[in-house]
Amino acid sequence: MNELEAKQLVQEKLPEKRFAHSLRVAETAVLMARLFKADEKKCHLAGLLHDYCKYDDLNDMHEIVKENSLDDELQLYTSAILHGPIAAFLIEKEFNIHDEEILLAIKNHTSGRADMNLVEKIIFVADYIEPARTTPGVEDIRDIVYNDHDLERAVFEITRRNICYLAEQGVKIYSETFKCYNYYN
Ligand SMILES: [Fe+2]
Ligand SMILES: [Fe+2]
């Protein structure tokens, strides 16, 4: 699949705002690829596709987890966590994309995990810092990336903030997020 095809598929499937976000993540990921010497094409494609399943039906996603023996723990979560692993699964199957770096970047873009590959780290961070994000403290993360050039510290800071936020909400936290936090600590 080339980039134009991917862009069209994402545009057809996602609402306009989420499509615009996907384009910004792809562009941010390319900037970061130049900074951290990653494959620009892979980063762009993973950025475009990362939210492909963001609005898929939750029951359907749980069904896919069950039928294909994906991580059982995923049954405990909503789309917020599921849309990454489901997108990686469907994109490999339906679009014939088998690049492991791209698939892992899509799969883990929300939760993170221990020992991520370079494209994976870039998408994880690009999703958080794309220019339209206004999360309090996002400037600190942009600073760590664009001034300090410290990708792993950005991954850690985002994970730390996500865990604090989720714990404050009193919701379940996917175990891969804790593994990510400990690995990059
Ligand atoms: Fe997402
Ligand atoms: Fe996203």
Side-chain angles (χ1 to χ4, degrees):
M1 170 184 290
N2 64 38
E3 285 183 21
L4 198 66
E5 288 168 334
K7 204 183 266 189
Q8 275 170 354
L9 280 167
V10 174
Q11 188 167 23
E12 279 163 22
K13 183 156 160 131
L14 296 180
E16 208 178 313
K17 277 191 174 173
R18 185 56 51 171
F19 173 61
H21 160 74
S22 304
L23 292 180
R24 287 192 299 270
V25 172
E27 282 161 19
T28 305
V30 169
L31 285 180
M32 292 177 65
R34 286 178 196 144
L35 203 55
F36 297 107
K37 303 196 177 5
D39 186 313
E40 290 181 30
K41 282 200 162 165
K42 285 188 188 188
C43 287
H44 193 259
L45 192 55
L48 273 179
L49 291 169
H50 80 286
D51 273 342
Y52 187 69
C53 292
K54 182 79 179 177
Y55 301 107
D56 281 14
D57 181 82
L58 185 59
N59 290 329
D60 291 350
M61 291 199 274
H62 280 142
E63 201 53 41
I64 291 172
V65 171
K66 203 168 122 189
E67 278 176 6
N68 300 281
S69 313
L70 307 186
D71 181 4
D72 231 8
E73 192 191 338
L74 289 169
Q75 296 292 7
L76 300 172
Y77 299 94
T78 63
S79 170
I81 288 294
L82 274 165
H83 75 279
I86 296 294
F89 177 78
L90 291 179
I91 284 165
E92 177 169 31
K93 222 167 85 160
E94 292 172 7
F95 306 158
N96 220 16
I97 292 177
H98 301 290
D99 184 282
E100 202 188 31
E101 282 186 301
I102 293 176
L103 293 174
L104 285 170
I106 295 168
K107 181 179 180 185
N108 300 305
H109 79 266
T110 309
S111 62
R113 65 170 182 124
D115 199 12
M116 291 193 276
N117 69 57
L118 184 54
V119 180
E120 211 173 354
K121 284 182 275 196
I122 285 175
I123 297 301
F124 181 80
V125 175
D127 191 28
Y128 197 89
I129 66 169
E130 61 96 335
R133 293 287 202 201
T134 54
T135 319
V138 68
E139 275 308 325
D140 301 341
I141 310 294
R142 291 187 181 119
D143 199 48
I144 293 169
V145 172
Y146 297 122
N147 292 324
D148 301 343
H149 301 176
D150 193 339
L151 184 57
E152 305 219 328
R153 193 154 64 84
V155 169
F156 172 72
E157 255 318 299
I158 291 167
T159 308
R160 188 182 73 74
R161 285 163 198 228
N162 285 345
I163 287 175
C164 288
Y165 173 79
L166 293 168
E168 220 149 76
Q169 306 289 307
V171 297
K172 277 195 181 68
I173 300 176
Y174 188 33
S175 61
E176 293 299 325
T177 301
F178 289 115
K179 289 180 193 165
C180 182
Y181 174 85
N182 287 331
Y183 184 89
Y184 290 102
N185 192 321

